[in-house]
Amino acid sequence: MTTIVAFMAESPMQPQNTNDAHAFWSSDMTDTTITDPTSIGKAIRQTRKAPKITQKDLSLQMGISRTTIRAIEQGKETAHIGLVLQLCRHLGMMIVVGSPITESGS
């Protein structure tokens, strides 16, 4: 099973080191395990709302319809991954994909 962890920033950040996911970590970021479209949608919504950005404002900034943003935030399973990643990038989110850590000898 693969685990996806979204590191969410309260404000967009510029990466210092693109090779090290934890180089982005700061005290104003939280991590969320993403297991399905609903959980990534919830993480996007929380990140958008933290600085009080409305769906309408975000749609104007990005050129994506408000309906599409709402559908992604509600966990629409057929959302285009490119749009989801574009939203995450615009909001300053970083997504790290990894496998769960297993104990040696298991």
Side-chain angles (χ1 to χ4, degrees):
M1 181 172 125
T2 300
T3 300
I4 302 174
V5 178
F7 294 105
M8 301 182 297
E10 288 188 17
S11 60
M13 298 175 57
Q14 292 299 317
Q16 299 298 317
N17 179 353
T18 57
N19 295 321
D20 182 5
H22 294 284
F24 297 104
W25 191 260
S26 72
S27 61
D28 67 342
M29 297 179 84
T30 59
D31 65 324
T32 301
T33 300
I34 304 300
T35 57
D36 55 29
T38 301
S39 57
I40 196 165
K42 183 178 177 183
I44 289 170
R45 180 180 173 95
Q46 289 173 340
T47 304
R48 173 184 60 78
K49 290 182 90 172
K52 300 188 185 338
I53 298 171
T54 65
Q55 288 178 342
K56 180 180 177 182
D57 290 340
L58 185 58
S59 73
L60 292 171
Q61 291 171 11
M62 297 192 62
I64 297 173
S65 75
R66 183 172 174 253
T67 303
T68 298
I69 292 170
R70 183 174 53 248
I72 290 170
E73 288 184 354
Q74 291 175 347
K76 182 178 180 184
E77 292 188 11
T78 58
H80 293 276
I81 188 68
L83 288 177
V84 173
L85 294 175
Q86 185 180 353
L87 275 171
C88 291
R89 190 171 35 251
H90 184 81
L91 292 170
M93 296 173 70
M94 185 181 77
I95 298 176
V96 177
V97 179
S99 297
I101 299 172
T102 58
E103 295 181 31
S104 60
S106 298

